[in-house]
């Protein structure tokens, strides 16, 4: 499936960044990284201190990387509430985790089903891997995850493809900011389990923004209880979790009661890693090790402050959108919010004429609140109006 919005996010972001350096009026709502209220890159103090504390020695590790650091990271994420069998491998970012996953388990006979709007890179990644990609609109008319349409898509896909991978991006979905409710997860498990095709239907959860969600339920405990005979692949991004974008740290975790499949994916992912990029960065993982062992409570405090910063921004933006009656997708957590439109490319260009840089997505315009200052948001109040998003 072709990308309906075939623009490169990184190029748009680059243009916005360089224009903003010359003109303070430029609003850069493109970047999926956190910037402070002076448009400066946000680094966690505790991460910077961990970098400074490193031994500055980076010997070779293995293709799977420093697995014990993966254990520490997993423990921090899951807090011990998931006790099912699992395998993990350290990767080059969340992108690298998805790459290894598709490369090791998917073929041209298989299909990935994903909701739109979505992270733009999914189209490119699956095209590159030769895996068929199908999408559906994420929300039903009640603004809930449209599991009914997903079920129809799965049923149809099973007739034409061997394996069906359902790709979810939860919590703090990019680009809407939606976080699935506990009931939606349970319903999702039930609808997949009802097919009784555990060797043909798989779940992938891209959890790149997991650290920025304050959920009212324990996702890992929920998996523990409801996974049963299914297999779930989870991908994590150290870019977002630790503001370590350039260090390229990520992790792929497979959870399954199928021990044969676990061993197979373990062997295959190590082999692919070894024969493509050899091994992941030991630098980034040493930083994470130090952080989790020696700066943990302070890091959690910084993370809370960062979430509060995002929340303060999004609350102002949401109240502006509400006042102006501009419709947006349901937001719960994370870096982005999406305003609805049927003409994303036209609106993208109109906004650009007002020096506002955004990312057009399927049926919407994504605003990265992660990179917007309150001053920027106030200027948005002067410019945005309902007519623009028709
Ligand atoms: C939804 C989503 N998944 C995965 C990633 C991967 O990030 P990285 O490869 O930097 O870890 C991103 C980055 O923007 C993302 O938005």
């Amino acid at each position: 499936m072709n990308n309906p919005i075939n623009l490169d996010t990184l190029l748009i972001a680059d243009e916005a960044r360089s224009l903003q350096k010359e003109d303070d009026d430029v609003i850069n709502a493109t970047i999926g990284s956190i910037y402070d209220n002076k448009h400066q890159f946000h680094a966690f103090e505790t991460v910077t201190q961990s970098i400074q504390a490193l031994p500055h020695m980076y010997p070779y590790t293995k293709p799977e990387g420093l697995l014990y650091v993966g254990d520490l990271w997993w423990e921090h994420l899951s807090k011990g509430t998931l006790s099912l069998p699992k395998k993990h491998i350290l990767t080059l970012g969340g992108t690298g985790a998805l790459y290894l996953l598709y490369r090791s388990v998917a073929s041209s006979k298989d299909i990935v089903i994903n909701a739109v709007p979505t992270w733009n890179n999914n189209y490119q990644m699956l095209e590159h891997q030769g895996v068929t990609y199908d999408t559906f609109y994420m929300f039903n008319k009640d603004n809930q995850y449209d599991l009914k349409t997903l079920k129809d898509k799965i049923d149809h896909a099973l007739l034409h493809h061997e394996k069906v991978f359902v790709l979810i991006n939860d919590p703090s979905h990019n680009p809407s900011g939606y976080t699935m409710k506990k009931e939606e997860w349970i319903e999702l498990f039930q609808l997949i389990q009802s097919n009784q095709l555990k060797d043909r239907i798989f779940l992938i959860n891209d959890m790149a923004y997991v650290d920025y969600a304050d959920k009212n339920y324990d996702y890992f405990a929920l998996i523990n209880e409801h996974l049963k005979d299914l297999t779930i692949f989870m991908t994590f991004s150290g870019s977002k979790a630790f503001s370590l974008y350039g260090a390229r740290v990520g992790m792929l975790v497979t959870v399954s009661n199928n021990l044969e499949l676990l061993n197979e994916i373990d062997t295959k992912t190590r082999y692919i890693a070894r024969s493509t990029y050899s091994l992941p960065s030991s630098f980034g993982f040493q930083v994470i090790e130090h952080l989790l062992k020696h700066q943990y409570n302070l890091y959690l405090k910084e993370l809370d402050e960062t979430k509060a910063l995002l929340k303060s921004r999004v609350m102002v933006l949401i109240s502006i959108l509400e006042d102006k009656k501009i419709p947006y997708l349901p937001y719960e957590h994370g870096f982005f919010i999406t305003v609805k439109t049927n003409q994303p490319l036209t609106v993208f260009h109109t906004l650009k004429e007002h020096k506002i840089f955004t990312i057009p997505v399927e049926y919407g315009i994504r605003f990265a609140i992660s990179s917007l200052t309150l001053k920027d948001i106030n200027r948005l109040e002067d410019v945005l109006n309902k007519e623009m998003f028709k």
Side-chain angles (χ1 to χ4, degrees):
M1 163 162 214
N2 290 330
N3 186 351
I5 317 266
N6 209 357
L7 294 177
D8 189 331
T9 310
L10 293 180
L11 285 183
I12 304 173
D14 205 45
E15 185 187 354
R17 204 177 297 123
S18 51
L19 287 174
Q20 195 179 49
K21 274 191 197 138
E22 290 154 24
D23 182 350
D24 204 35
D25 272 354
V26 169
I27 295 184
N28 183 0
T30 63
I31 316 177
S33 332
I34 297 175
Y35 279 70
D36 69 13
N37 280 336
K38 294 189 179 117
H39 290 144
Q40 297 302 308
F41 180 80
H42 170 277
F44 291 106
E45 192 75 17
T46 46
V47 173
T48 308
Q49 281 168 13
S50 293
I51 294 172
Q52 283 158 358
L54 290 190
H56 305 291
M57 277 181 276
Y58 306 104
Y60 276 131
T61 58
K62 292 191 222 161
E64 61 273 25
L66 302 167
L67 282 186
Y68 67 92
V69 181
D71 286 327
L72 289 174
W73 192 2
W74 176 252
E75 188 54 36
H76 151 68
L77 290 162
S78 70
K79 310 273 184 298
T81 58
L82 204 170
S83 55
L84 301 176
K86 71 155 185 59
K87 287 280 182 195
H88 64 292
I89 180 164
L90 303 185
T91 59
L92 305 184
T95 311
L98 288 163
Y99 168 84
L100 275 191
L101 170 63
Y102 296 132
R103 199 94 192 127
S104 55
V105 299
S107 81
S108 58
K109 295 179 188 142
D110 304 331
I111 188 167
V112 172
I113 303 175
N114 180 214
V116 293
T118 187
W119 178 44
N120 212 283
N121 201 18
N122 284 321
Y123 289 94
Q124 180 170 331
M125 216 184 313
L126 288 157
E127 182 190 275
H128 170 72
Q129 301 246 7
V131 181
T132 306
Y133 185 40
D134 193 11
T135 61
F136 65 98
Y137 190 62
M138 183 163 159
F139 297 102
N140 64 20
K141 60 176 176 18
D142 299 321
N143 263 347
Q144 288 157 343
Y145 208 103
D146 191 355
L147 293 169
K148 188 182 168 314
T149 304
L150 172 59
K151 182 180 178 346
D152 295 343
K153 287 274 172 181
I154 294 174
D155 290 346
H156 183 260
L158 285 169
L159 301 175
H160 302 278
H161 297 272
E162 277 185 7
K163 282 182 253 162
V164 177
F165 296 92
V166 176
L167 171 60
I168 304 284
N169 168 210
D170 187 75
S172 329
H173 173 252
N174 174 7
S176 68
Y178 190 68
T179 292
M180 283 169 67
K181 299 181 185 69
K182 184 177 182 183
E183 303 74 52
E184 289 174 328
W185 266 108
I186 294 175
E187 212 184 308
L188 174 62
F189 277 120
Q190 286 168 349
L191 88 82
I192 295 183
Q193 276 147 355
S194 68
N195 288 285
Q196 299 196 322
L197 290 171
K198 62 182 171 48
D199 299 323
R200 287 187 64 203
I201 316 181
F202 301 88
L203 261 175
I204 304 169
N205 192 9
D206 172 352
M207 301 183 67
Y209 298 91
V210 60
D211 305 84
Y212 294 87
D214 283 320
K215 289 194 298 297
N216 58 6
Y217 63 94
D218 182 342
Y219 161 87
F220 292 93
L222 185 142
I223 302 285
N224 202 56
E225 190 181 341
H226 294 276
L227 188 68
K228 297 183 182 146
D229 61 357
L230 289 183
T231 296
I232 186 165
F233 304 101
M234 299 182 218
T235 59
F236 298 94
S237 164
S239 308
K240 320 288 171 181
F242 310 110
S243 235
L244 274 174
Y245 304 86
R248 308 310 304 137
V249 275
M251 176 163 68
L252 166 65
V253 181
T254 308
V255 180
S256 177
N257 282 306
N258 182 343
L259 301 185
E260 205 181 312
L261 186 136
L262 277 183
N263 287 331
E264 190 185 315
I265 182 150
D266 198 39
T267 311
K268 277 193 178 161
T269 47
R270 288 171 197 229
Y271 169 77
I272 295 160
R274 181 68 180 121
S275 43
T276 47
Y277 56 82
S278 194
L279 65 154
S281 149
S282 55
F283 161 74
F285 290 105
Q286 286 191 32
V287 177
I288 296 174
E289 177 183 2
H290 189 277
L291 181 80
L292 297 179
K293 279 186 179 162
H294 305 292
Q295 303 267 4
Y296 191 53
N297 289 331
L298 285 175
Y299 163 67
L300 292 184
K301 195 165 161 274
E302 281 195 272
L303 196 56
D304 278 344
E305 285 161 6
T306 312
K307 279 188 275 190
L309 174 74
L310 287 175
K311 191 153 193 176
S312 65
R313 291 176 183 174
V314 83
M315 276 167 60
V316 180
L317 184 53
I318 284 182
S319 80
I320 294 170
L321 297 174
E322 294 277 345
D323 278 355
K324 292 177 181 276
K325 300 197 168 27
I326 300 174
Y328 58 94
L329 294 178
Y331 174 91
E332 291 286 341
H333 309 111
F335 287 26
F336 311 106
I337 187 164
T338 292
V339 172
K340 291 189 197 176
T341 172
N342 284 325
Q343 300 179 46
L345 284 172
T346 314
V347 178
F348 163 70
H349 288 294
T350 311
L351 291 172
K352 221 171 138 177
E353 283 162 21
H354 290 278
K355 301 193 208 174
I356 299 170
F357 287 77
T358 56
I359 299 295
V361 295
E362 305 89 340
Y363 313 105
I365 292 288
R366 185 187 88 176
F367 288 83
I369 42 182
S370 50
S371 62
L372 286 179
T373 63
L374 284 176
K375 189 171 156 240
D376 294 331
I377 297 175
N378 287 335
R379 198 168 95 67
L380 286 179
E381 184 170 18
D382 299 337
V383 179
L384 301 188
N385 64 64
K386 196 176 168 188
E387 296 309 308
M388 272 179 173
F389 297 94
K390 279 270 150 67

